[in-house]
Amino acid sequence: MKIGEVAKQTGLSVKSIRYYHDIGLVCGERNEAGYRVYRHQDIEALKFVHQCRDLGFSLEDCKSLLGLKGNESRNAEDVKQLTRTHLSYVEEQINKLQQLRAQLQHMVTQCQGGGQPHCAIIDSLSHEDNESHGSHETDEDKSHKNQSLHDAGSECCRKASRNSNGQES
């Protein structure tokens, strides 16, 4: 089956399928004309990877899970541990997003809005020490926290931008 049809069947974009091929995650064979041709088991592997990615697993984790899926003598504890590790990461990201939400809610409640030029949100964003939040973090802590919050927010934005077929828009 050619890549366009595989994309329709799996809900993945052609670009994603090509990328997965290029990194060796799921590879179709090339026919005489040089086109990638995917077999039934390749399509099933791509669907599996798609489901893993929808759950937020990294490509490295997807590769591990795909290997475990194909290994009839696998140890279920290995799968459970990998998933438990991912769950811990997701819980950490949720915690960071909740902190981000609380901080943004605080900023919104502090701003009176309206037509005046004074804005508590701008003031809050302008103060490096964020005195209004009672924070005693070091610059390195803030930088790491801000990057983590940015990463978590970016991941949410990427997931939110996916259309109903799970493809990124």
Side-chain angles (χ1 to χ4, degrees), residues 69-87:
K69 179 183 184 285
N71 180 355
E72 292 298 320
S73 62
R74 69 181 163 261
N75 184 343
E77 187 60 34
D78 294 337
V79 179
K80 185 176 183 176
Q81 183 55 43
L82 195 150
T83 305
R84 187 181 294 131
T85 299
H86 181 60
L87 176 60

Side-chain angles (χ1 to χ4, degrees), residues 11 18 28 33 45 55 79 99 111 116-117 119 129 135 145 163 168:
R18 285 185 181 132
L55 291 170
V79 179
Q99 291 173 17
C111 182
Q116 82 265 355
C119 178
D129 60 3
S135 176
K145 180 178 174 182
N163 65 24
E168 291 187 19

Side-chain angles (χ1 to χ4, degrees), residues 135-151:
S135 176
H136 299 289
E137 298 174 309
T138 66
D139 287 342
E140 186 175 329
D141 290 339
K142 288 179 193 174
S143 175
H144 180 66
K145 180 178 174 182
N146 288 339
Q147 183 61 46
S148 295
L149 291 172
H150 171 47
D151 292 347

